[in-house]
Amino acid sequence: MTNITSPASASGTFRLGGDLEINRLGYGTMQLTGPGVWGPPKDHDEAVRVLKRAVELGVNFFDTADSYGPYVAEELLKEALHPYGDDVVIATKAGLTRTGPNQWPPLGRPEYLRQEAEMSLRRLGLERIDLFQLHRIDPQVPLEDQVGELKKLQDEGKIRHIGLSEVSVDEVKAAQRIATIVSVQNLYNLQKRDAEELLDWSTEQGIGFIPWFPLATGGLTGSDSPLSELAERKQASPAQVALAWLLKRSPVVLPIPGTSSVAHLEDNLRGASIELTDDEFAELSELGS
């Protein structure tokens, strides 16, 4: 039976890094910022309400990054949720700089990653970051220098676990020779499945797989959504069906749909309680292929 007061808990749980138990359906903060992921939100008070409501509805995994805003999303998280509940896990990232709206140059120099980790600690009001992710591997900097610096921060107690974003299986294996990698975050949704090999490998390894743009930034949720017919049969919204598909795809998938609206947040979280049959899952998989 679904827990109506905590719909996110219907998604089941995952132990991130083997020791942080989170509800699988989390929340991504990128859409709380201005156009081009630049500047403050259009409605600051609504952004704060979204974050507070997420916790009320059982979300305890929040994904953010220093580059969202830049800095805006981390600051909003602290404003809305600090002091954090004991079960709240915050993941952030560094490794992309911001030179303007929609611009994301990579920068993986060790001194920069350290600086950003220190600043994220202050902005978030944390003594230790639960999951610190390398936002992109910088091709100009040796991988061992980038992941090695995160390992140093981990050894110093400033970060608990290390994750990677937009990587291949071979890149994760290379990083694992330097430090323990507990999660990967790649673009993945029903329509965009380039990361299928990484997801299958992560499932075998028990590594968390965090799909970004899980709803294809609205591409799966509009009035002309390819999911509309099945959604109608399930008495659900297309967004809920898309999230249900991700949750059924693998037990290591940790979707982080983001929104700047409380109404959309509540709708998304009800996706945790949509149960797809194997036939429905296969039908959706065909739609997106």
Side-chain angles (χ1 to χ4, degrees), residues 164-172 184-204 207-213 245-246 249-250 252-253 288:
L164 301 174
S165 182
E166 277 308 302
V167 286
S168 66
V169 172
D170 286 345
E171 286 170 334
V172 185
V184 292
Q185 180 165 166
N186 277 44
L187 172 60
Y188 185 82
N189 56 55
L190 191 50
Q191 287 182 325
K192 186 79 173 165
R193 294 189 234 157
D194 298 355
E196 203 93 86
E197 182 190 359
L198 179 65
L199 173 51
D200 289 338
W201 182 82
S202 299
T203 304
E204 289 169 12
I207 290 173
F209 182 96
I210 306 166
W212 59 273
F213 284 172
W245 182 87
L246 282 170
R249 172 63 182 80
S250 164
V252 306
V253 170

Side-chain angles (χ1 to χ4, degrees), residues 103-121:
Q103 295 175 18
W104 309 79
L107 182 57
R109 290 205 305 269
E111 63 273 19
Y112 178 73
L113 296 176
R114 173 170 290 272
Q115 166 192 296
E116 293 306 295
E118 299 277 10
M119 289 171 67
S120 288
L121 282 166

Side-chain angles (χ1 to χ4, degrees), residues 127-225:
E127 291 184 7
R128 179 172 65 173
I129 294 165
D130 285 326
L131 176 63
F132 194 79
Q133 303 158 92
L134 182 61
H135 211 154
R136 290 292 184 279
I137 293 174
D138 184 345
Q140 305 301 318
V141 179
L143 180 66
E144 54 267 28
D145 291 352
Q146 297 174 73
V147 177
E149 194 63 30
L150 302 191
K151 177 72 166 64
K152 288 177 188 173
L153 287 160
Q154 185 179 49
D155 291 343
E156 292 164 20
K158 291 173 179 173
I159 62 179
R160 184 170 189 154
H161 292 302
I162 298 169
L164 301 174
S165 182
E166 277 308 302
V167 286
S168 66
V169 172
D170 286 345
E171 286 170 334
V172 185
K173 287 179 176 176
Q176 281 184 324
R177 291 193 279 272
I178 306 158
T180 300
I181 305 300
V182 306
S183 68
V184 292
Q185 180 165 166
N186 277 44
L187 172 60
Y188 185 82
N189 56 55
L190 191 50
Q191 287 182 325
K192 186 79 173 165
R193 294 189 234 157
D194 298 355
E196 203 93 86
E197 182 190 359
L198 179 65
L199 173 51
D200 289 338
W201 182 82
S202 299
T203 304
E204 289 169 12
Q205 301 294 315
I207 290 173
F209 182 96
I210 306 166
W212 59 273
F213 284 172
L215 299 176
T217 325
L220 293 169
T221 61
S223 56
D224 59 346
S225 168

